[in-house]
Amino acid sequence: MRILLLTDNYPPETNPSALRCSTHAKRWIARGNQVNVVTSFPNFPGGRIYAGYRQSLFKRELVDGVDVVRVPTLVFANRGFVLRVLDFLSFMIAGSIGSLFVGRPDVVVATSPQFFTGVAGWLVSRIYRCPFLFEVRDLWPDSIVAVGAMKEGVGIRMIRRIEKFLYRQAELIVVVTRSSRDVLIDRGVSSDKIIVITNGIDMAAFGPGPPSQRLRLCLGVEHKIVVSYIGNVGMAHGLQLILDAASQCSSRLPEVQFVIVGTGAELATLQQQARKRDLENVTFVGQVPHAEILEYWRLSDITLVLLRDTSLFRTVLPSKVFEAMATGTPIITNVQGELDSILRPAGAAVVIEPDNVTALVDSIEELVKDPARRNALSAAGVETAKHYDRNELADRMLAAMQMLKRNTADARAED
């Protein structure tokens, strides 16, 4: 089967969308399929083209054995809704054109969160007269409103029309949580065309292990309890809570060092606030290659999985959770809803109330003083992660595409 995958992000970018698409593409090829990826030149999240790349009209390369076509887009930092939409629109146009040079696929897959990639996927699928699979990784534009990037109005209403149009046009919709499936059904989408394929983890690449003493020395945390945040430092995550916790811990838990690994729209603001508040117990590492992330998970005595308190975020499963569990990193999270329903019964995390700094500091103190409890969380996390192997999830999605191809062929034979 020939699969055409349109995605705004792809390695060497290391955000969850890029990693999921890469894992799936490699697995599908290993299963004997041909995969073409159409994507942009790597620039996320800093809004700068990565070293070793320069935008051109068309660039074709092999990335881990996957045939990747890169098309030029407008590039802006991940800040400012209007600029980001211009970026999205430019990929919609360029991605649609670039897809015409990869050969006729049997199925077109377009992945969100932004729906303009979906528009490109729908358009290309109609040109090639093949099925369109729409992967909804985020309930966009709900997330835009939830983080305050844009208020309900004309712009959001226009995007919602695009959203509904794509749901109608897609032959199959893949969502990453059961809660998202329920939301789409409530909005009138037929349950028969929605399947759930969660985020997951490459179990062969991630596992428990001793912390790197070199990294401890490099960060100056050799005698500290490391409480990490690893991931996108964005508007959705409410990381002001970490600074508030650090302020309380400076005297109450002086052995604790907060380490924030990642970059994003809020990084500069948080760094400025930390300096203003003289929070010497907060270390900002910035963006690191994904190949090095394993060392930071193993360095962490505790990790934080945080999101702002909105009803939308009760439907999500942050990708970082699976890496944390697989490496045996004890988790404290304030994410209620679907994530809570997985972690709490498994005993794989401490779940606290959202936006409650007292609860966060109390939970950190409990784990700092109770190594046995940390070990129990670690073991439960490793065991739970085994149920979310990315290769198995990719196989499920491949089986769905094969069924979609057969159903389409049967329908045409009947006409």
Side-chain angles (χ1 to χ4, degrees):
M1 183 166 62
R2 296 191 59 163
I3 303 167
L4 172 58
L5 172 60
L6 289 96
T7 172
D8 210 348
N9 300 113
Y10 199 79
E13 293 170 320
T14 59
N15 58 315
S17 178
L19 296 175
R20 177 180 170 102
C21 288
S22 174
T23 301
H24 285 193
K26 289 185 289 186
R27 182 66 170 183
W28 297 337
I29 290 172
R31 291 297 195 188
N33 301 279
Q34 180 176 333
V35 179
N36 298 103
V37 174
V38 175
T39 188
S40 58
F41 285 82
N43 67 86
F44 183 86
R48 294 184 299 275
I49 301 297
Y50 284 25
Y53 287 88
R54 184 175 62 182
Q55 291 220 81
S56 58
L57 288 177
F58 189 89
K59 177 178 174 62
R60 199 162 198 161
E61 61 176 339
L62 282 178
V63 181
D64 296 328
V66 180
D67 183 13
V68 176
V69 171
R70 298 192 185 274
V71 295
T73 61
L74 299 174
V75 175
F76 305 103
N78 187 23
R79 194 179 187 97
F81 177 74
V82 174
L83 294 181
R84 292 297 291 165
V85 166
L86 290 175
D87 182 350
F88 300 157
L89 286 169
S90 68
F91 179 69
M92 178 186 75
I93 296 169
S96 299
I97 296 171
S99 296
L100 303 180
F101 295 91
V102 298
R104 180 180 294 276
D106 295 305
V107 61
V108 174
V109 180
T111 186
S112 68
Q114 55 98 349
F115 285 159
F116 297 108
T117 299
V119 174
W122 164 76
L123 178 61
V124 171
S125 73
R126 295 309 177 254
I127 292 172
Y128 283 125
R129 300 184 69 247
C130 66
F132 167 45
L133 186 155
F134 186 30
E135 183 180 60
V136 181
R137 298 188 62 258
D138 191 1
L139 292 177
W140 202 81
D142 298 48
S143 56
I144 301 172
V145 178
V147 301
M150 194 171 181
K151 296 180 180 180
E152 293 284 357
V154 175
I156 292 296
R157 286 198 295 273
M158 290 178 62
I159 295 173
R160 291 198 189 283
R161 291 192 185 100
I162 296 173
E163 174 191 21
K164 293 177 181 178
F165 173 80
L166 292 173
Y167 293 158
R168 289 195 305 270
Q169 295 298 316
E171 279 78 20
L172 185 66
I173 299 171
V174 172
V175 294
V176 297
T177 67
R178 295 186 302 274
S179 300
S180 294
R181 181 178 184 274
D182 293 341
V183 169
L184 296 194
I185 292 172
D186 288 343
R187 293 179 180 177
V189 181
S190 170
S191 61
D192 294 338
K193 68 189 300 186
I194 309 172
I195 62 172
V196 180
I197 299 177
T198 66
N199 289 318
I201 180 66
D202 183 354
M203 295 298 296
F206 283 81
S212 165
Q213 294 305 311
R214 176 198 59 80
L215 186 56
R216 278 194 177 276
L217 288 170
C218 180
L219 296 177
V221 296
E222 49 268 49
H223 302 297
K224 295 287 189 178
I225 297 291
V226 174
V227 179
S228 70
Y229 173 86
I230 300 175
N232 186 37
V233 186
M235 298 173 66
H237 300 90
L239 300 190
Q240 178 68 42
L241 189 67
I242 294 179
L243 302 190
D244 295 339
S247 180
Q248 292 192 22
C249 287
S250 59
S251 58
R252 180 174 167 181
L253 295 168
E255 67 271 41
V256 167
Q257 185 72 23
F258 292 86
V259 176
I260 298 176
V261 183
T263 188
E266 295 296 296
L267 178 61
T269 299
L270 291 174
Q271 289 174 318
Q272 183 181 27
Q273 290 179 3
R275 287 193 297 268
K276 186 176 181 180
R277 298 170 68 171
D278 295 323
L279 295 177
E280 296 183 0
N281 59 345
V282 180
T283 300
F284 293 91
V285 175
Q287 185 175 13
V288 300
H290 194 257
E292 299 176 15
I293 285 294
L294 178 60
E295 289 192 5
Y296 286 92
W297 287 120
R298 291 176 173 174
L299 176 74
S300 306
D301 298 289
I302 302 165
T303 195
L304 306 179
V305 177
L306 305 175
L307 283 172
R308 291 173 58 175
D309 184 20
T310 72
S311 59
L312 173 66
F313 294 151
R314 296 188 180 98
T315 69
V316 305
L317 288 175
S319 296
K320 72 190 73 176
V321 166
F322 302 102
E323 293 187 0
M325 289 194 298
T327 52
T329 308
I331 299 168
I332 298 175
T333 182
N334 67 353
V335 184
Q336 308 288 322
E338 183 141 351
L339 181 62
D340 183 7
S341 71
I342 291 175
L343 296 181
R344 197 191 298 265
V350 174
V351 182
I352 63 173
E353 294 179 356
D355 299 334
N356 189 329
V357 66
T358 300
L360 176 56
V361 174
D362 287 347
S363 296
I364 292 172
E365 183 173 30
E366 173 194 345
L367 295 185
V368 166
K369 295 181 177 179
D370 191 351
R373 173 73 168 136
R374 297 207 303 271
N375 290 337
L377 291 170
S378 174
V382 172
E383 188 62 31
T384 304
K386 295 176 183 178
H387 301 288
Y388 295 92
D389 183 270
R390 271 189 177 145
N391 284 329
E392 294 182 8
L393 297 168
D395 287 346
R396 287 181 53 202
M397 190 164 173
L398 177 61
M401 287 189 286
Q402 290 169 335
M403 179 65 73
L404 185 61
K405 178 187 174 184
R406 287 194 295 269
N407 291 344
T408 301
D410 291 344
R412 287 175 178 169
E414 293 174 0
D415 290 343

